[in-house]
Amino acid sequence: MATNEEFESDRMPVIRIGRRSVANIATGTYYDETLKGFGLRMNAGGTGTWFIEYRPGAGGRGVAKKRVSIGHLDRLSPEQAREAASKALASVELGGDPANTKAEERAALPFRKAVEAYVADHVRTKRKERTAAYYTYILDLHIAPQLGTKRTNAITRADVNAMHAAVAKSASKFVANRALAIVSAVFNWLDPDAANPAKGIERYKEDGRERFLTDEEIGAIGEALIEAETIGLPYNQSESKHSPKSTTRRPPLGIHATNALRLLMLTGCRISEILNLEWSQVDLQRGLLFLPDSKTGRKTVVLSEAAIDVIRATPKIGKFVIAGETAGEKDERPRSDLKKPWAAICDRAGLEGVRLHDLRHTFASVGAGSGLGLPVIGKLLGHARAATTERYAHLATDASKRAADSIAGQIAAALAGGKDG
């Protein structure tokens, strides 16, 4: 049986998993110090998933590692999860492959049942409730009439393409693209290494729609980042003939690449500002970045606690926070590009047409939708002109609605009082 030390994930914390140790555990992935291959993944929302990791067959580094969830923290106690993990890992010793067994069971389901299982087992434990409700709405109204009764393992690319076209005709191109994304996500969940019939289907152009990531898309990116830096991402189908025969996964991405992407999302900074950031320009005590030469000149970036945590977790190699190939050398240069790692993350997250610069737009859109004033957003982004920030004004409708309700409510109360008098 493979041990934790054989896995790329041995950089993750190793603890004695029990009731006391998981009571106030922080977000992250943890491995048990006594039962090798048994672990717990805690999400930011406080939900946890028990899992096992193993290499099927004879094991060894030439065999790709697999991870299988065995239950949720709110349903299984540490003792129950340990017992289930022990049985599953014992089956591996006898030649079993729990991941294949689970994938085969899911593949035989009608697609509607597969989506329902995906929402219950994955979305509701890792996303907000409104995301689960949205997935269910799209399933019931648009996906189920086209694919719901088909067996999951019998669905072809032609079937998915026909569903995509039908939804665009009956609803809109935007809804059709969301339905396609959900179908793709479900197939990735069913079996990450199998061919995805939704892969490669061209999405409709959504005229006049700026690209801002949704909560579920941000969550998918977060999951892909963790997978990329721990066990590596699967090679996609088009690369399979060129991928190494000994593994079905890419080598793990370095933490500097994944943390660069996190900082883009958590700060709203431009790509060049993150890639050229030097340690001498970072003041973690005050939570500030002092950029001497951004697009709009000198700029001070206010860091959130989440961004500070990412910087603190980034190993200091050379003078640049995001170390490049020449890190530590006399003529050290900043990392030149993030396109390849970003493309791999998007591919794994099931996202198409998302540019790195869209992470900056997303930062602003979340701020506008949360009720922050445009001047505050403009200051955080370092906009030199207020007109530049106005592009996000239409996203602030929720805040404006709350303000309108508050003001009109007071006036309505006064009007009602005057009438009664």
Side-chain angles (χ1 to χ4, degrees):
M1 182 68 198
T3 67
N4 281 352
E5 287 74 23
E6 292 175 275
F7 298 151
E8 297 292 347
S9 51
D10 63 356
R11 290 173 290 178
M12 293 293 152
V14 176
I15 64 174
R16 176 65 173 88
I17 291 179
R19 291 180 184 270
R20 183 176 299 179
S21 62
V22 304
N24 297 300
I25 204 167
T27 301
T29 302
Y30 301 84
Y31 295 86
D32 187 58
E33 65 181 14
T34 57
L35 181 57
K36 304 302 181 182
F38 171 46
L40 172 66
R41 179 180 174 186
M42 285 297 296
N43 298 306
T47 58
T49 303
W50 302 107
F51 65 84
I52 60 167
E53 286 185 348
Y54 65 96
R55 299 188 194 275
R61 292 188 178 274
V63 180
K65 181 188 67 171
K66 294 185 177 182
R67 176 185 290 185
V68 180
S69 63
I70 56 175
H72 300 295
L73 179 60
D74 62 345
R75 301 174 192 169
L76 293 180
S77 68
E79 294 78 15
Q80 291 170 326
R82 182 183 297 277
E83 182 179 357
S86 180
K87 290 180 179 178
L89 291 168
S91 74
V92 174
E93 291 280 6
L94 297 174
D97 190 344
N100 269 1
T101 301
K102 200 168 188 178
E104 289 170 359
E105 291 173 352
R106 289 171 173 169
L109 291 172
F111 191 67
R112 183 190 184 98
K113 295 294 184 182
V115 178
E116 290 174 349
Y118 172 72
V119 171
D121 186 59
H122 183 81
V123 179
R124 291 191 186 279
T125 60
K126 298 181 181 181
R127 302 280 194 276
K128 296 182 179 179
E129 182 57 34
R130 66 184 184 186
T131 301
Y134 178 71
Y135 272 49
T136 302
Y137 166 78
I138 295 294
L139 166 66
D140 291 340
L141 199 60
H142 301 293
I143 299 175
Q146 303 295 325
L147 301 175
T149 60
K150 291 181 178 290
R151 296 289 175 184
T152 303
N153 54 6
I155 292 176
T156 65
R157 180 173 176 175
D159 294 327
V160 179
N161 200 38
M163 180 277 299
H164 190 220
V167 176
K169 184 176 180 180
S170 64
S172 69
K173 293 179 180 178
F174 172 75
V175 174
N177 288 344
R178 301 291 80 73
L180 180 63
I182 291 173
V183 171
S184 180
V186 171
F187 275 103
N188 279 336
W189 173 74
L190 287 168
D191 188 347
D193 298 319
N196 187 333
K199 178 73 176 177
I201 294 178
E202 186 176 355
R203 298 191 180 193
Y204 293 109
K205 183 178 179 181
E206 299 169 14
D207 296 330
R209 181 177 177 84
E210 292 184 319
R211 192 65 167 96
F212 306 123
L213 297 174
T214 63
D215 288 346
E216 57 266 29
E217 289 174 332
I218 294 173
I221 290 173
E223 292 178 14
L225 286 170
I226 293 173
E227 186 177 5
E229 66 192 0
T230 55
I231 62 176
L233 301 176
Y235 286 95
N236 62 39
Q237 193 174 14
S238 64
E239 293 175 310
S240 60
K241 63 182 180 180
H242 303 296
S243 63
K245 299 298 182 183
S246 61
T247 180
T248 60
R249 290 183 178 270
R250 308 167 187 262
L253 285 177
I255 193 170
H256 288 91
T258 53
N259 277 359
L261 297 174
R262 289 188 176 98
L263 287 174
L264 289 174
M265 300 185 74
L266 294 171
T267 64
C269 283
R270 299 176 177 88
I271 301 169
S272 61
E273 293 170 346
I274 294 299
L275 293 183
N276 290 286
L277 179 64
E278 300 183 15
W279 285 107
S280 61
Q281 299 161 357
V282 178
D283 185 342
L284 292 181
Q285 185 174 358
R286 289 187 287 174
L288 299 172
L289 302 180
F290 299 101
L291 308 183
D293 188 25
S294 70
K295 183 178 179 181
T296 54
R298 294 178 64 87
K299 173 182 174 183
T300 300
V301 176
V302 179
L303 295 173
S304 64
E305 287 300 321
I308 291 173
D309 289 343
V310 170
I311 293 177
R312 282 183 174 148
T314 304
K316 191 172 184 179
I317 307 174
K319 68 178 183 179
F320 295 101
V321 175
I322 306 303
E325 294 181 354
T326 58
E329 296 180 8
K330 183 178 179 180
D331 298 320
E332 182 179 353
R333 298 181 301 278
R335 185 184 181 107
S336 60
D337 187 47
L338 286 174
K339 289 182 179 179
K340 287 185 177 180
W342 175 240
I345 293 296
C346 285
D347 183 70
R348 184 56 168 153
L351 303 179
E352 295 180 7
V354 181
R355 306 166 302 162
L356 276 168
H357 194 68
D358 291 331
L359 302 182
R360 179 172 166 85
H361 292 323
T362 298
F363 182 88
S365 71
V366 171
S370 300
L372 299 178
L374 295 183
V376 173
I377 296 170
K379 186 172 180 62
L380 288 173
L381 295 178
H383 287 163
R385 298 182 303 118
T388 307
T389 317
E390 286 294 328
R391 66 193 300 180
Y392 305 108
H394 67 287
L395 298 172
T397 54
D398 288 345
S400 299
K401 178 67 164 55
R402 289 194 297 271
D405 286 344
S406 176
I407 295 168
Q410 294 182 47
I411 295 173
L415 286 171
K419 185 176 181 180
D420 292 340

